[in-house]
Amino acid sequence: MLKRVSKIGFLALCGLGILWFCLPVLHGGFGVGSVFGIGVCAAGIALALLYPKAAARGGIQRGLARTAVGLYVLGLGWAGYLTVLIISYQAAAVPQGLNVVVLGAQVYSAERMGQSLSGRVDRAAEYLLANPESQCIVTGGQGSNEPCPEALTAKNALIQRGVAPERIYMEDKSRNTRQNLVFAMEIAQEQGLDTRVVVVSQNFHMYRAVRLARSAGFEAYALPAETDFFIFPSYYGRELLSLTKWYLEELSGKVFGKY
């Protein structure tokens, strides 16, 4: 009886997971993170339904079924570990009086940006206005589908929100988060800025962003911006993939002497 209840409960959780990862469709988006999440939930349903038959047949089929379940459980454990890290950086206290690095995101013109960058700019402006001695580096180059550098749009938006232009420095050559922070460090050193900073990005992104900032040489802390409820599932799934890729790159670098 307990096994049956557990199976039904697991199937229900997987079904709810699929619905949760489909939420971004209501906001007009459906990215790789949603596809990944739906795939994981669908795999869980398939394993729960097919495992009893495969195990009952014995032999190689039982061995393969047990291996598949073991790998699936390990994968869930890894995702849980990464989720704890993501949450821990969202909950950390935010130091005051530090400089600010705003990570880039999608823009549509020099005056119009996507929801992610808008949230980051709002959070950065709030901090900068409360800490008038703090300087700011906005980051982000011009993507292939963008009319201008992301940093330019972020700077314009901060000025509109009341931040003095002379407090804002632009890094407009980067193409990804790692470059955002490496090139921002170059500007900080060139301009003689204090490299103790708060890094502004969405809450789900903070763990990787702060770790990358520290690897670039900053003494970095998290200043998380909120993420829209309906698009969070897709970003969350994508972040799990990005963190896994990052850890694999670090591991391969240590093994083969690249770091």
Side-chain angles (χ1 to χ4, degrees):
M1 181 64 179
L2 180 59
K3 286 185 177 180
R4 182 176 177 80
V5 172
S6 298
K7 180 178 178 179
I8 293 173
F10 178 73
L11 289 171
L13 285 175
C14 288
L16 290 172
I18 289 175
L19 292 176
W20 187 66
F21 280 107
C22 285
L23 278 178
V25 173
L26 300 176
H27 205 275
F30 193 77
V32 65
S34 287
V35 174
F36 169 70
I38 291 170
V40 169
C41 295
I45 292 173
L47 285 173
L49 295 175
L50 298 177
Y51 175 80
K53 293 180 181 180
R57 289 171 182 161
I60 190 170
Q61 290 192 37
R62 176 184 292 175
L64 291 173
R66 288 179 173 176
T67 300
V69 170
L71 291 173
Y72 189 81
V73 171
L74 285 175
L76 291 182
W78 175 247
Y81 168 71
L82 293 180
T83 300
V84 169
L85 293 179
I86 291 170
I87 293 173
S88 69
Y89 272 63
Q90 296 176 31
V94 180
Q96 300 299 305
L98 304 187
N99 289 335
V100 178
V101 176
V102 182
L103 299 185
Q106 181 72 49
V107 301
Y108 304 107
S109 73
E111 305 296 334
R112 192 166 74 90
M113 56 196 148
Q115 190 170 19
S116 292
L117 186 56
S118 179
R120 297 175 191 185
V121 167
D122 287 342
R123 192 73 173 96
E126 177 187 350
Y127 185 93
L128 289 165
L129 293 175
N131 295 272
E133 72 282 10
S134 298
Q135 308 295 307
C136 179
I137 302 174
V138 290
T139 69
Q142 181 176 348
S144 59
N145 61 341
E146 295 175 317
C148 65
E150 296 164 0
L152 175 62
T153 305
K155 179 178 180 178
N156 291 339
L158 284 172
I159 293 171
Q160 290 175 357
R161 286 159 173 77
V163 181
E166 59 269 20
R167 297 173 64 191
I168 306 171
Y169 299 83
M170 282 206 314
E171 178 290 299
D172 59 2
K173 305 298 182 185
S174 58
R175 292 292 182 268
N176 55 50
T177 302
R178 187 185 297 274
Q179 290 181 1
N180 284 168
L181 294 158
V182 169
F183 297 164
M185 171 55 77
E186 292 178 359
I187 290 175
Q189 292 174 332
E190 290 170 1
Q191 300 296 327
L193 302 177
D194 191 338
T195 55
R196 294 176 298 162
V197 301
V198 289
V199 180
V200 186
S201 188
Q202 265 61 44
N203 45 21
F204 66 86
H205 190 223
M206 285 311 333
Y207 171 70
R208 185 161 56 100
V210 170
R211 288 288 302 271
L212 286 171
R214 290 173 180 171
S215 70
F218 288 105
E219 179 184 329
Y221 302 89
L223 184 60
E226 292 298 321
T227 308
D228 183 272
F229 173 79
F230 289 101
I231 61 174
F232 176 78
S234 184
Y235 284 138
Y236 168 70
R238 188 179 68 181
E239 190 65 13
L240 292 180
L241 290 173
S242 296
L243 281 170
T244 300
K245 177 176 178 289
W246 180 48
Y247 272 110
L248 289 173
E249 288 174 346
E250 282 200 330
L251 178 62
S252 66
K254 290 175 182 177
V255 170
F256 297 106
K258 295 179 183 178
Y259 293 98

